[in-house]
Amino acid sequence: MTWNNCFSSKRYGLDKTSKDIRSDFERDWDRIIFSSPFRRLQNKTQVFPLPEEIFVHNRLTHSLEVASVGRSLGGLIGEKIATLPGVEKDPDAAVFYTSDLKYVIAAACLAHDLGNPAFGHSGEEAISKYFKKRDRSARPDDIAFKQLFSPAEWKDLITFEGNANALRILTMKQSGRMKGGFRLTYSTLASILKYPCESLASAKGILHRKKYGYFKIDEAVFLEIAQELHMIRDTETSPEITYKRHPFVFLVEAADDICYNIIDFEDAHRLGILSYEEVRKRFLAIIATDPKARMDSVIKVADDLRGDANESIAYLRAKSIGTLIYKSTEVFWEQREAILNGTFEKSLINAIPELEAALKEIADISRQKIYNARKVVELEIAGFRIMSGLVEDFVTAALTPAREREKEHQKILELLPTQYTFDEAGSPYAKVMHILDFISGMTDVYALKLYRKLRGIEM
């Protein structure tokens, strides 16, 4: 892999190219923005329950803000890479890094949360727990439930992963839809592969294997992306499939890290969970690590805005994000060779020593006061039960042989939209994945309404 061959304007699922006033990478952004899965993010929880009076972030607003930060990171790094000797003499590479990298990173940021089910991480956990629970509850004379699946397929199901689901949403051919899914460029697809390995190779404590990046059913798609962009194979996990991260992933990850560290704090202040002084102190600690920051001026502006505490915090939030963008860009540039050859084993944010204490304080307070806030915990519990119930209803119906299905099972399967219907002759794993495609795509409100209707709570 080199800076000259790690990008491509070719589109997954599309052999020919077409001319347009927009670049191929700008069109990736547009395809995501106008898609149904992206629109549905407006009704998926980020951290706090969806708003009644005070508007906090949902998955949609979070993704838009991450994309804004990602565009800045891509633009700053692109300008630097374009000056490298091997790049500036290659016309295609010079144009890409000068003009297009920012669109790739922004588009990937828009897509990074598409695979997250309703109710956030509790939704992921609910899907996974159903399969574990069903296997444990089987009668002694039953065939073990997990024997219906290969070891790799079973690991996918008991550790359902939103990152892998994002790749699936972007690339799968649904019934009655075009081949190639969104037909995005390989560059944008590679940029969301935060954990470029299969589920059997996942291992906590190793950055690129902390989770996994594709389901077994989508392995051919993943390998095609890796081959097109010359990604580096990690042979330590053989025969399981693992690759080193694509360099652009670090920029997408940094944009996400920057936003959720800062924005959750701002939302907590708006909701009265954190005081003005708590948030102000931590944001100023971040800004102070920037040698170019004029702290006297920053403090004066923040204090002048104190009459509207939300506006004062918004100002400090903007300055904090600017500092984190600047610091992340520095780390990427300093570590560019290690990032390119796959030996860099930290996120950009975690590789900034002067920010370690400030970010740790934010993380600790977030765990203690934000993620354990009563409304957040109540939402997680409710979401867990709703998603568990839906998975149980639909998977049970799908895996019951057609000749043995009761009328209730058949009626449940008739609720599946056309694009999620499955082949009765398909494998149990393929059937389950079609069901999970449907359930994981639901919004919080739709999942709640369907759950109530299936249980006779609401007509």
Side-chain angles (χ1 to χ4, degrees), residues 69 91 100 123-124 134 138-139 142 158 161 170 197 213 220 227 275 311 326 390 393 423 426 439 441 449:
V69 173
D100 293 322
E124 285 180 313
R134 177 162 173 175
R139 297 188 304 272
D142 285 344
I158 63 172
E161 177 54 50
L170 292 172
C197 65
Q227 182 178 1
S275 70
E311 188 65 20
Y326 162 72
L390 292 175
D393 291 346
D423 183 354
I439 293 174
K449 286 187 174 182

Side-chain angles (χ1 to χ4, degrees), residues 44-47 59 115-132 156-163 165 212 215 376-392 435-444 447-448:
K44 286 191 176 186
T45 303
Q46 175 65 16
V47 173
R59 290 281 176 189
N116 286 42
F119 305 105
H121 292 300
S122 63
E124 285 180 313
E125 188 180 345
I127 292 170
S128 302
K129 192 170 182 180
Y130 164 78
F131 295 97
K132 297 175 187 176
D156 287 354
L157 299 179
I158 63 172
T159 56
F160 183 84
E161 177 54 50
N163 290 284
N165 200 39
Y212 64 95
F215 297 122
V376 174
V377 173
E378 288 173 346
L379 179 74
E380 287 179 350
I381 294 170
F384 187 88
R385 291 181 176 172
I386 291 165
M387 296 299 283
S388 295
L390 292 175
V391 173
E392 181 177 2
I435 295 299
L436 297 185
D437 291 338
F438 172 52
I439 293 174
S440 67
M442 293 178 182
T443 64
D444 293 18
L448 173 59

Side-chain angles (χ1 to χ4, degrees), residues 110-331:
L110 280 184
H112 84 284
D113 266 354
L114 286 184
N116 286 42
F119 305 105
H121 292 300
S122 63
E124 285 180 313
E125 188 180 345
I127 292 170
S128 302
K129 192 170 182 180
Y130 164 78
F131 295 97
K132 297 175 187 176
K133 183 178 178 182
R134 177 162 173 175
D135 186 56
R136 289 195 300 266
S137 63
R139 297 188 304 272
D141 57 339
D142 285 344
I143 297 174
F145 180 54
K146 70 179 179 183
Q147 288 182 12
L148 294 173
F149 311 96
S150 72
E153 292 169 349
W154 182 245
K155 188 67 182 291
D156 287 354
L157 299 179
I158 63 172
T159 56
F160 183 84
E161 177 54 50
N163 290 284
N165 200 39
L167 179 67
R168 179 162 174 78
I169 288 170
L170 292 172
T171 59
M172 69 175 166
K173 182 188 182 304
Q174 295 179 327
S175 178
R177 303 290 177 88
M178 292 189 297
K179 176 186 175 184
F182 283 46
R183 295 183 169 183
L184 301 181
T185 63
Y186 287 95
S187 300
T188 297
L189 292 174
S191 300
I192 68 162
L193 294 174
K194 194 173 177 181
Y195 308 107
C197 65
E198 63 175 305
S199 58
L200 286 176
S202 60
K204 291 184 178 179
I206 303 174
L207 183 65
H208 65 294
R209 291 167 51 201
K210 183 179 176 183
K211 298 180 183 178
Y212 64 95
Y214 69 91
F215 297 122
K216 199 66 178 176
I217 198 170
D218 302 313
E219 186 166 279
V221 176
F222 171 80
L223 292 174
E224 190 172 326
I225 295 168
Q227 182 178 1
E228 175 68 25
L229 298 182
H230 307 276
M231 289 171 62
I232 301 168
R233 183 75 181 258
D234 182 352
T235 56
E236 290 184 11
T237 63
S238 184
E240 283 80 30
I241 296 173
T242 304
Y243 279 76
K244 298 291 188 177
R245 283 179 160 191
H246 191 283
F248 301 164
V249 169
F250 288 92
L251 299 174
V252 176
E253 179 182 54
D256 189 26
D257 288 347
I258 289 169
C259 286
Y260 81 72
N261 271 290
I262 300 301
I263 300 300
D264 288 354
F265 247 52
E266 182 181 17
D267 279 350
H269 171 259
R270 284 181 176 271
L271 291 169
I273 296 171
L274 297 180
S275 70
Y276 174 83
E277 291 301 333
E278 283 180 298
V279 179
R280 177 183 185 275
K281 177 182 176 182
R282 274 75 194 188
F283 284 180
L284 286 174
I286 290 172
I287 300 165
T289 64
D290 181 357
K292 297 179 181 178
R294 297 166 56 194
M295 293 305 298
D296 290 345
S297 175
V298 170
I299 292 169
K300 183 178 185 307
V301 172
D303 289 345
D304 287 345
L305 294 171
R306 182 68 187 271
D308 183 343
N310 288 336
E311 188 65 20
S312 179
I313 291 299
Y315 167 74
L316 293 174
R317 174 256 299 154
K319 300 295 288 186
S320 298
I321 288 176
T323 298
L324 291 169
I325 289 172
Y326 162 72
K327 293 284 184 181
S328 298
T329 303
E330 273 193 335
V331 172

